[in-house]
Amino acid sequence: MGVCDAIEQYAPAGKPSAMNPPNLPKVAGIDSTVPPPAHTAPPAPQVQSAPMLIQDRLAGWISDLTTLQELTERLARTATLDEALHELLRAGAALVGARRGLLALEPADGLGPDTTVGLGLTRADLGHIETVPRAATASGRLLDAPPGAQSEIVDADLLTDSGLDPRHREVAVRLGYAASYALPLSTETAGRIGAAVWLYDEPAQPDERRRHLVGLYARQAAEHLALLTELDRARKTEGTLREELLPSRLPRVAGVQLAARHRTCARGGGDWFDALPLPDAALGLAVGSVTGSGPSAVAAMGRLRASLRAYAVMEGEDPVAVLSDLELLLRLTEPARSATALFAYCEPAQRKIILAGAGHSPPLVIGERRTEFMETSLSAPLGMLACWEAPSVEFRTEPGETVLLYTDGLLHRTGDPMDRAFARLHAAAAGVPKSLHADPAALADHILRTVLPDGLDTVDSDEDVVLLAARFE
């Protein structure tokens, strides 16, 4: 039979049974201390025929291949780097018959991410292991070795090794492990990306069959880890680029308090916001969304936001003119892309707002006496018509009222039809406690948590979310 029975529960719940012989040296997965039978005469030897031997071997190979397929499929279903690292550790521990382990991710190109995760080890345990000199650990030797220099490191009995580093011996005794088995994780294209180490509670080592299986699994796992590493880098790069393209901080303008919240989708979306001081103590507020996702949408979002800032400085008192210029630019430079946008020209001293929207959801006015949507004129998104133009809307707020601008992602993430999503948003705004009305940041957080409960504001989604709150004094 194969190793399926050994990993049926996926990770050993306690010490492997093969690790428990009292005195004799052991090999993981093999009980070397089978007691002699209590017979007065030895039993007759059983001779296995050649066909039966071949059949048993074939059954074992099939079982092993099935096991590898199941474990590889489970690993392939992991969507994040952290999930894949823990999955690899658990599967490897089951294959080699260990209970604990750690995986050090350290790509050879030096671009990161660098991290260490543990199986059956707390963060404090990992901290103790990190105090051991790097050259004295199996993971450190594998990570620092030249390519192809070492394929595995077997330390079957650490505590009897006279050459063991004293600090390593101290940590091993403290954490209660006596043996380890380590494998490098590498691919032909990415090179060395990390090392996995599994720890045994007693002197032991995996037998040749288990080492062969875990080696095959590790090669497949390394390819998956290399791919997820590249994706993780791309997401972080996009996130950094997106944050650089959005305002790093909101301006301070007399008569108004500002707060913004931004949640990015997993693939990187094109939702944006802006707030900029304008001549004559005025303020420009804008939110928008570019179609698509990924780097191209982020780049288009940055170009659109930068262009809107320029138009707002020149003709911000006329929001229709601002959006008309933006529509013309989008149609000429990116004819295959469309966008929604809303721009508001504010005079805080008079609490006067003039706004225009292009295919965008209406802003919400929130106060102690009213909670209502300020409907803009019905209009198509930018880039959809040969020539965009729609009338603006003018209104005034009462002292202490907050104007909330947002993108459609807030509504889409609810999973409800749009009419119900709008109703949910209105109910959340109407239910804001009075104590939060004076703080636009607390108000935005309350609405975000209420409209998107159970972590929907943080989980991966296909939709960006932007909230921009302006409280007029």
Side-chain angles (χ1 to χ4, degrees):
M1 61 183 295
V3 298
C4 280
D5 292 338
I7 67 169
E8 184 173 357
Q9 296 182 353
Y10 202 58
K15 298 180 182 179
S17 60
M19 304 304 157
N20 294 332
N23 298 310
L24 298 181
K26 302 173 295 301
V27 176
I30 296 179
D31 189 348
S32 59
T33 58
V34 179
H39 296 292
T40 56
Q46 296 182 356
V47 180
Q48 192 173 25
S49 64
M52 292 182 62
L53 181 62
I54 293 175
Q55 184 178 3
D56 288 346
R57 288 183 177 179
L58 287 175
W61 292 340
I62 292 173
S63 177
D64 292 345
L65 290 175
T66 302
T67 297
L68 287 176
Q69 180 182 3
E70 292 176 353
L71 295 181
T72 303
E73 287 177 352
R74 294 178 73 159
L75 180 67
R77 287 194 292 269
T78 57
T80 66
L81 188 58
D82 186 66
E83 290 176 356
L85 295 176
H86 286 90
E87 177 68 22
L88 190 158
L89 268 181
R90 289 191 294 266
L95 287 173
V96 301
R99 188 172 65 91
R100 294 179 290 174
L102 62 94
L103 194 157
L105 185 70
E106 189 177 306
D109 57 14
L111 300 179
D114 295 345
T115 186
T116 301
V117 299
L119 172 69
L121 298 171
T122 65
R123 290 305 307 174
D125 295 338
L126 293 176
H128 287 303
I129 294 175
E130 289 173 355
T131 63
V132 178
R134 182 181 174 93
T137 64
S139 59
R141 298 201 299 272
L142 288 176
L143 290 171
D144 295 338
Q150 286 181 296
S151 60
E152 62 180 4
I153 294 180
V154 181
D155 291 316
D157 194 346
L158 285 168
L159 301 183
T160 61
D161 183 1
S162 59
L164 187 66
D165 180 86
R167 178 55 184 165
H168 194 179
R169 184 185 305 277
E170 180 182 346
V171 170
V173 171
R174 183 188 187 100
L175 300 185
Y177 64 87
S180 67
Y181 177 70
L183 279 179
L185 301 170
S186 61
T187 69
E188 293 184 2
T189 55
R192 190 70 51 81
I193 60 175
V197 183
W198 291 279
L199 306 175
Y200 299 99
D201 297 342
E202 298 177 1
Q205 61 177 306
D207 58 31
E208 183 178 355
R209 184 182 187 183
R210 288 175 176 263
R211 288 156 67 174
H212 177 67
L213 287 174
V214 76
L216 293 175
Y217 177 75
R219 283 195 287 273
Q220 296 295 324
E223 295 287 347
H224 187 61
L225 288 183
L227 175 61
L228 291 180
T229 298
E230 290 300 322
L231 291 176
D232 185 76
R233 290 175 178 175
R235 287 174 179 171
K236 289 180 178 178
T237 300
E238 285 182 17
T240 301
L241 175 62
R242 188 181 304 106
E243 293 303 322
E244 290 296 326
L245 292 174
L246 293 174
S248 57
R249 60 181 179 179
L250 296 172
R252 293 184 178 181
V253 178
V256 64
Q257 295 176 273
L258 300 173
R261 295 295 181 264
H262 184 207
R263 300 291 186 268
T264 306
C265 71
R267 295 180 297 174
D271 286 15
W272 52 275
F273 67 94
D274 206 351
L276 67 157
L278 296 175
D280 302 323
L283 173 69
L285 301 176
V287 293
S289 177
V290 176
T291 55
S293 60
S296 62
V298 174
M301 175 267 288
R303 292 191 293 268
L304 208 64
R305 172 178 170 266
S307 300
L308 185 141
R309 290 177 70 90
Y311 298 145
V313 170
M314 294 186 295
E315 48 192 4
E317 68 280 357
D318 186 357
V320 172
V322 172
L323 294 186
S324 295
D325 292 343
L326 197 64
E327 193 277 335
L328 179 60
L329 176 72
L330 185 69
R331 183 157 44 88
L332 293 177
T333 59
E334 301 189 51
R337 195 181 296 277
S338 64
T340 66
L342 189 148
F343 178 73
Y345 177 80
C346 308
E347 297 179 10
Q350 288 77 37
R351 297 188 302 279
K352 175 183 174 182
I353 300 174
I354 305 173
L355 64 87
H360 205 83
S361 298
L364 188 60
V365 179
I366 306 169
E368 294 186 5
R369 296 183 179 181
R370 64 169 175 170
T371 300
E372 60 186 29
F373 291 104
M374 285 297 167
E375 295 292 342
T376 58
S377 55
L378 187 63
S379 171
L382 303 176
M384 297 293 289
L385 302 178
C387 181
W388 179 91
E389 186 168 343
S392 59
V393 175
E394 179 179 329
F395 66 96
R396 294 178 185 267
T397 66
E398 296 296 328
E401 288 187 331
T402 298
V403 177
L404 182 70
L405 283 62
Y406 53 93
T407 58
D408 289 346
L410 177 65
L411 306 173
H412 293 316
R413 278 204 188 192
T414 64
D416 293 337
M418 290 302 288
D419 57 341
R420 293 182 60 185
F422 274 115
R424 177 183 290 191
L425 173 59
H426 186 275
V432 173
K434 291 184 178 181
S435 59
L436 302 183
H437 278 270
D439 185 352
L443 183 146
D445 288 335
H446 175 84
I447 290 178
L448 197 59
R449 290 192 303 265
T450 306
V451 176
L452 301 176
D454 303 325
L456 286 175
D457 62 324
T458 57
V459 299
D460 285 346
S461 170
D462 292 335
E463 299 287 345
D464 278 6
V465 175
V466 164
L467 280 77
L468 178 59
R471 180 183 181 273
F472 292 86
E473 299 174 351

